[in-house]
């Protein structure tokens, strides 16, 4: 058996080139992690969440917090399913520990 994926095969006097089909790899779906505005969670708490959970620098975290505050929601990042799900759970857990009603969700891109 040849190790070359191409080999010549004779069939009725004609040369045929045979090549293994390469599997088509599909990218996994990505999810946006989104913070939802409320009237009770302190802005500084939201900035702290964005810095600690999403590794944002202070300036970027403040921009996202202001987007949440003014537009009703803001995107914290885009991740594969498992990472997005983990980040949502982390945010919700910390918000509950501090008795804030902050909501965090994920949506497929």
């Amino acid at each position: 058996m040849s190790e070359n994926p191409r080999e010549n095969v004779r069939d009725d006097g004609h040369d045929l080139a045979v090549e293994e089909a390469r599997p088509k790899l599909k990218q996994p779906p990505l999810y946006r992690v989104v913070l939802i505005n409320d009237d009770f969670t302190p802005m500084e708490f939201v900035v702290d969440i964005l810095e600690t959970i999403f590794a944002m620098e202070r300036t970027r975290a403040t921009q996202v917090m202001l987007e949440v505050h003014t537009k009703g929601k803001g995107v914290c990042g885009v991740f594969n399913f498992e990472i997005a799900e983990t980040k949502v759970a982390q945010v919700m857990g910390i918000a509950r520990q501090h008795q804030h009603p902050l909501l965090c969700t994920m949506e497929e891109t």
Side-chain angles (χ1 to χ4, degrees):
M1 185 162 217
S2 171
E3 289 188 29
N4 185 353
R6 286 190 158 223
E7 53 187 45
N8 290 328
V9 178
R10 290 209 159 236
D11 185 358
D12 297 331
H14 299 291
D15 285 338
L16 297 174
V18 178
E19 186 174 332
E20 281 186 35
R22 293 186 180 193
K24 293 182 182 180
L25 300 178
K26 185 178 175 185
Q27 292 288 347
L30 295 176
Y31 294 82
R32 283 185 288 272
V33 175
V34 179
L35 286 179
I36 309 297
N37 188 45
D38 66 71
D39 293 332
F40 304 101
T41 304
M43 292 179 181
E44 185 61 33
F45 181 79
V46 174
V47 171
D48 289 342
I49 288 285
L50 292 166
E51 288 177 323
T52 57
I53 303 297
F54 298 96
M56 290 185 189
E57 292 185 12
R58 186 95 175 153
T59 303
R60 178 68 184 135
T62 302
Q63 289 172 343
V64 173
M65 176 275 297
L66 288 172
E67 185 177 332
V68 172
H69 181 67
T70 59
K71 296 182 180 178
K73 66 181 185 177
V75 177
C76 306
V78 178
F79 310 94
N80 68 30
F81 180 83
E82 290 81 11
I83 293 173
E85 184 178 51
T86 299
K87 295 215 181 264
V88 168
Q90 288 174 325
V91 170
M92 297 299 289
I94 293 170
R96 283 191 190 111
Q97 281 178 338
H98 290 86
Q99 299 179 346
H100 295 305
L102 181 64
L103 290 178
C104 187
T105 63
M106 54 192 261
E107 6 178 278
E108 193 168 355
T109 60

